[in-house]
Amino acid sequence: MNYTRKMAWRNVLVEGFLILASLIVILPMLVMIFGSFMNNIEVMKFTLRLPSEWHFSNYVTVFQEGGLARAFWNGLLITGVSCAANIVTSSAAAFILTRRDTKLSNFLYMFFFMGLIAPMSVITTIRVVQAFGFYGSITSVIFIYASLNTAFSVFLYSGFIRSIPKALDEVAFLEGAGTLSVFFKIITPLILPVNATVAIMVFMSVWNDITIPLYFLTDSSDWTMPLSVYNFYGKFSRDWNLIFADLVLTSLPVLILYLFCQKYIVSGLTAGAVKG
């Protein structure tokens, strides 16, 4: 009984601490949401309270003046293609690395693992992109994002693919299937939970990022929504109600995705960790 009471009190303390810690994120978010409906004078108080009058026109102004339609399409294009490229290349690489037990495959696995801790060198990457001739284009940003998330994705896929019996591969090879057929017809359907996890994680990482587009997109018409906030702030630095509305619209896709898909994140991470 004493042990049970101690565990109960410990759970209460942990839950209480987590609730207090969550307020660090929730309270500023509520200030931002309520402020996006205020006028430009009331919002300067930066207090957590409902607006005296709801100005829904702030969002209309932001959408028209901020060019969010173009920025939303750019972000959707960059994020979607980056996710697809990362899923295909990372899962294929993980399949080969886990199925071939050689010194080279072990070295390459550790090489990918180093990508989790090795920082990106912006100057060197710019030089490499310039050498290939597509610096300043959306293509360069897509390649960079797909590459930056490869290490995490390969690590996750490898843990899951190791749990798939090699006997399935051997039977398919005996039936005359090639490596590509085995991967796409046998392995790919089995790694759908991890695909969902990787897609969501990469989407949130790419959509929220501002550094890569800032360095590698030279034309403002190619900017994504988070970067459009930077541009919008330069025009309306005194209108915090409009800035807050821009921030809400920018963060809304990621917030909706996370709320509805968080179970896939947990299940995919658990599958990759436990089964690996």
Side-chain angles (χ1 to χ4, degrees), residues 12 18 51 58-59 75 150 249-250:
V12 170
L18 292 177
N58 291 342
Y59 285 88
T150 298
L249 290 175
T250 301

Side-chain angles (χ1 to χ4, degrees), residues 212-261:
I212 301 301
L214 182 63
Y215 284 124
F216 292 90
L217 293 179
T218 56
D219 191 351
S220 60
S221 63
D222 295 331
W223 284 3
T224 58
M225 288 189 70
L227 197 56
S228 70
V229 176
Y230 175 80
N231 189 34
F232 190 84
Y233 176 77
K235 296 179 181 179
F236 301 93
S237 58
R238 296 184 178 181
D239 298 319
W240 278 95
N241 54 334
L242 300 181
I243 295 173
F244 282 160
D246 196 357
L247 289 171
V248 170
L249 290 175
T250 301
S251 59
L252 195 59
V254 174
L255 182 62
I256 294 175
L257 181 70
Y258 183 79
L259 289 177
F260 286 97
C261 301

Side-chain angles (χ1 to χ4, degrees), residues 185-205:
K185 294 182 179 180
I186 297 178
I187 303 298
T188 300
L190 296 176
I191 60 175
L192 289 180
V194 186
N195 284 343
T197 301
V198 170
I200 296 168
M201 298 292 287
V202 173
F203 182 93
M204 292 191 298
S205 173

Side-chain angles (χ1 to χ4, degrees), residues 38-238:
M38 298 178 180
N39 57 43
N40 57 352
I41 298 177
E42 186 180 13
V43 72
M44 294 302 295
K45 297 178 181 178
F46 295 102
T47 55
L48 181 61
R49 62 186 181 88
L50 295 174
S52 57
E53 183 179 353
W54 294 81
H55 296 272
F56 293 95
S57 59
N58 291 342
Y59 285 88
V60 178
T61 302
V62 168
F63 197 83
Q64 293 175 346
E65 299 294 333
L68 294 188
R70 179 68 179 179
F72 177 80
W73 165 248
N74 292 336
L76 197 62
L77 175 63
I78 293 173
T79 306
V81 178
S82 299
C83 288
N86 181 266
I87 289 173
V88 174
T89 56
S90 299
S91 58
F95 170 66
I96 298 299
L97 292 177
T98 54
R99 287 307 196 238
R100 295 183 179 178
D101 189 13
T102 62
K103 292 183 178 180
L104 179 60
S105 62
N106 293 332
F107 169 77
L108 291 176
Y109 179 78
M110 294 304 300
F111 183 78
F112 279 113
F113 183 76
M114 289 173 59
L116 293 172
I117 57 177
M120 172 186 170
S121 176
V122 176
I123 302 300
T124 305
T125 307
I126 290 176
R127 294 298 185 185
V128 172
V129 173
Q130 288 176 338
F132 281 103
F134 43 73
Y135 175 73
S137 65
I138 290 180
T139 304
S140 64
V141 176
I142 291 175
F143 277 120
I144 292 171
Y145 277 134
S147 302
L148 283 177
N149 292 279
T150 298
F152 171 78
S153 300
V154 168
F155 181 74
L156 202 61
Y157 279 119
S158 298
F160 191 87
I161 293 176
R162 284 194 182 96
S163 68
I164 301 175
K166 291 185 180 181
L168 297 176
D169 305 2
E170 295 171 355
V171 172
F173 287 134
L174 290 175
E175 294 292 333
T179 303
L180 289 178
S181 297
V182 172
F183 174 71
F184 285 107
K185 294 182 179 180
I186 297 178
I187 303 298
T188 300
L190 296 176
I191 60 175
L192 289 180
V194 186
N195 284 343
T197 301
V198 170
I200 296 168
M201 298 292 287
V202 173
F203 182 93
M204 292 191 298
S205 173
V206 174
W207 185 273
N208 287 326
D209 185 62
I210 189 176
T211 306
I212 301 301
L214 182 63
Y215 284 124
F216 292 90
L217 293 179
T218 56
D219 191 351
S220 60
S221 63
D222 295 331
W223 284 3
T224 58
M225 288 189 70
L227 197 56
S228 70
V229 176
Y230 175 80
N231 189 34
F232 190 84
Y233 176 77
K235 296 179 181 179
F236 301 93
S237 58
R238 296 184 178 181

